[in-house]
Amino acid sequence: MRHKGMYTASTSMLFILGVIGLTGCGGGSDDTSPDTGGSPDGRLTGDIVYYAAACDVSQPAVGTDIIVHRKDGSILSQSKVPSTGKFDIAWPSDAYHFSYAQQINGELFVYSRLNVVAGDIGIVGERNSNLDSACSCSDFNFSLSDIHSAYNGYTVYLDGDNKTTRANVCKQDGQFPPVNLVLTPSHDDGLTSYAAQIDVNNYAANRTIYVEPSIFENAANESVLLDAVLSSANSNIEYPDFRTFSETDYGRVNWIPWMMSPHVFPGLFANNFITSSHFDHLGGDDYGEVYYYTSRRHRVTDPGDTQVVQLQQNQQKMLQSTDAILSSFSEDGASNYDFTGIGTGKTLLQVDFGQNGIAHWTIEAPLKGTFPDLDLPTNLQTPFEQITQANLSVMIYGYFSHSSSQYNQFRTKVAELQRADLKTRSDFYDNYVIEQISVDIN
């Protein structure tokens, strides 16, 4: 990878395609981490499904291609997802990597996991809008004119959107979840914010529901203003981007950006979170543009405490490690990589390559190892050869729960939580950290 200015994108499409193994790179997997694939003979099990785009209805992804790879990336075995959506395949000692491929409306999605051990991978799959007809959803309109009059100087969010008076609501377990209203001060940082919930189960679809200003009158509807600051290590960020949300039995609600100080609503919601993120354009040239993204979230345990959000900013280390991957492919050498030691709390690496409408390949890998030359059947390689304007994303993430060598224990924990089918998301996911490099390739 050549450097021009601060950073530059790749010099050719073939160069980038090498990252996902579509060109010969001569590299075999020689992972240096102790938690690797190549376990004793066993079985690999899991569910591969399609999820509706509008709701969480799912169905078995019948016919999805399953590929088992050897350590060097060559294909060991191939199979198809059966009618149940559940697969149970042999995982011999020479099985190391696992891939599956889904075709959705003419677009190919390939997912690969490196250094897998025998066991349950959980429930995986892509959103498919063709399933939306199975969702039980209705539109509800809201008359908010008196809210705007009574709370002049406030911005009104309806289910997290401040530009609409209509909510599309999908049933869960036979009931519509509540519709959420949030009022945030538009200019005065000292004002209280308000939140309320509207039960629409007794209203006919498409009916306009009048909302009384008195809906916000109880003490439970009032916010708690957070004393939120970025860590002193983030002194270069002049205007922090704080958001809050709540986890409920109906999923995440009130994903609100705060132009001023952030608020939470502990009177209505037990599980409240604060996040912050930062986005940098790192430069580019005729080949593409390079961007960096970092984000952090944590649970608001005590709203009275100062919420210190420490964004990890390791642009140069991320660039260097990404560059090492790409450079090794360009030199047709071993594609060793190492993202350990970049910040804290992270467990996995994820590399995404593709172009919307054509094909995408997502590879999940340990933070340190060697990329194998992953093979795909010819019919699955062809769509990638049609890509003309690609995006490459390299991200590392985690929940401060597992070390960089415990990635398969991390995968096992995620699968267990999926099988538990909890209504409210597990506190395992409370503390999240991510850093990402992305390249828009011209």
Side-chain angles (χ1 to χ4, degrees):
M1 179 174 290
R2 298 180 297 109
H3 289 267
K4 179 180 180 181
M6 186 169 184
Y7 202 64
T8 176
S10 68
T11 58
S12 73
M13 285 302 300
L14 289 178
F15 183 70
I16 290 295
L17 287 174
V19 176
I20 57 172
L22 295 184
T23 62
C25 61
S29 179
D30 186 21
D31 181 64
T32 57
S33 300
D35 182 10
T36 64
S39 57
D41 289 3
R43 310 291 296 181
L44 192 74
T45 61
D47 292 66
I48 301 181
V49 303
Y50 292 121
Y51 290 100
C55 68
D56 283 338
V57 166
S58 65
Q59 73 175 32
V62 181
T64 291
D65 289 284
I66 295 175
I67 303 104
V68 177
H69 307 269
R70 298 180 181 88
K71 189 175 184 180
D72 65 359
S74 60
I75 295 175
L76 176 63
S77 66
Q78 299 180 63
S79 57
K80 298 277 189 179
V81 173
S83 60
T84 60
K86 301 179 182 295
F87 70 88
D88 184 339
I89 59 176
W91 197 257
S93 59
D94 53 347
Y96 259 73
H97 318 296
F98 172 79
S99 297
Y100 66 94
Q102 296 181 305
Q103 295 271 1
I104 303 174
N105 297 327
E107 194 168 1
L108 174 65
F109 297 87
V110 179
Y111 300 85
S112 298
R113 292 188 180 185
L114 303 188
N115 297 28
V116 175
V117 297
D120 178 22
I121 70 164
I123 306 168
V124 296
E126 182 65 32
R127 294 283 178 181
N128 187 341
S129 59
N130 295 322
L131 271 65
D132 286 355
S133 59
C135 299
S136 180
C137 304
S138 297
D139 284 333
F140 295 92
N141 299 300
F142 297 88
S143 174
L144 305 175
S145 55
D146 284 354
I147 299 291
H148 286 287
S149 297
Y151 291 90
N152 185 30
Y154 280 81
T155 300
V156 181
Y157 286 88
L158 180 66
D159 270 356
D161 190 341
N162 64 354
K163 297 180 173 64
T164 186
T165 58
R166 174 179 294 184
N168 182 259
V169 191
C170 300
K171 286 185 177 180
Q172 298 183 31
D173 299 325
Q175 292 287 314
F176 288 116
V179 172
N180 289 278
L181 279 175
V182 176
L183 307 182
T184 67
S186 303
H187 304 290
D188 188 346
D189 198 19
L191 294 177
T192 300
S193 295
Y194 300 90
Q197 295 189 299
I198 303 171
D199 185 350
V200 298
N201 283 285
N202 295 321
Y203 293 96
N206 293 309
R207 174 181 171 179
T208 297
I209 301 171
Y210 171 72
V211 183
E212 293 268 5
S214 59
I215 194 173
F216 300 108
E217 286 184 352
N218 294 324
N221 302 110
E222 296 184 1
S223 69
V224 173
L225 175 67
L226 297 180
D227 176 20
V229 296
L230 289 183
S231 164
S232 58
N234 304 130
S235 58
N236 63 306
I237 301 175
E238 187 175 359
Y239 300 105
D241 174 23
F242 289 117
R243 293 173 181 254
T244 59
F245 66 90
S246 302
E247 290 283 5
T248 73
D249 287 354
Y250 300 103
R252 181 177 297 180
V253 301
N254 296 337
W255 175 248
I256 302 296
W258 297 93
M259 298 300 293
M260 294 170 286
S261 299
H263 299 235
V264 292
F265 301 94
L268 291 180
F269 306 104
N271 304 294
N272 299 293
F273 294 82
I274 184 169
T275 78
S276 190
S277 60
H278 186 65
F279 186 78
D280 280 336
H281 176 212
L282 301 183
D285 59 15
D286 293 340
Y287 301 108
E289 300 296 324
V290 182
Y291 303 89
Y292 168 81
Y293 174 79
T294 179
S295 184
R296 179 79 167 87
R297 79 159 175 258
H298 68 253
R299 177 185 290 267
V300 179
T301 304
D302 184 348
D305 290 343
T306 298
Q307 308 297 314
V308 180
V309 181
Q310 183 170 0
L311 291 175
Q312 298 185 21
Q313 293 182 275
N314 298 292
Q315 292 92 325
Q316 292 305 314
K317 289 183 178 180
M318 284 291 293
L319 289 172
Q320 291 167 6
S321 294
T322 300
D323 185 65
I325 294 177
L326 300 180
S327 295
S328 65
F329 279 104
S330 70
E331 297 166 0
D332 197 29
S335 49
N336 297 317
Y337 67 92
D338 187 357
F339 285 83
T340 59
I342 301 179
T344 59
K346 307 179 186 79
T347 306
L348 282 173
L349 164 71
Q350 183 172 299
V351 178
D352 296 278
F353 172 84
Q355 181 175 340
N356 289 338
I358 300 178
H360 303 265
W361 197 333
T362 300
I363 301 175
E364 179 190 282
L367 291 181
K368 180 180 181 181
T370 304
F371 272 108
D373 185 4
L374 290 176
D375 288 336
L376 289 179
T378 302
N379 66 306
L380 297 179
Q381 290 191 31
T382 301
F384 289 99
E385 297 168 359
Q386 301 169 356
I387 290 176
T388 57
Q389 287 187 311
N391 176 267
L392 173 71
S393 168
V394 178
M395 76 177 193
I396 55 176
Y397 69 97
Y399 300 93
F400 295 87
S401 58
H402 293 76
S403 70
S404 60
S405 65
Q406 295 177 314
Y407 49 89
N408 272 316
Q409 290 97 321
F410 176 91
R411 290 164 168 167
T412 298
K413 180 64 174 180
V414 171
E416 289 175 354
L417 292 173
Q418 288 178 320
R419 299 298 186 193
D421 194 25
L422 303 173
K423 279 194 170 184
T424 302
R425 200 179 196 204
S426 168
D427 58 9
F428 173 79
Y429 299 106
D430 280 3
N431 296 303
Y432 178 62
V433 61
I434 178 177
E435 293 187 80
Q436 179 182 32
I437 292 289
S438 61
V439 185
D440 289 335
I441 305 167
N442 295 330

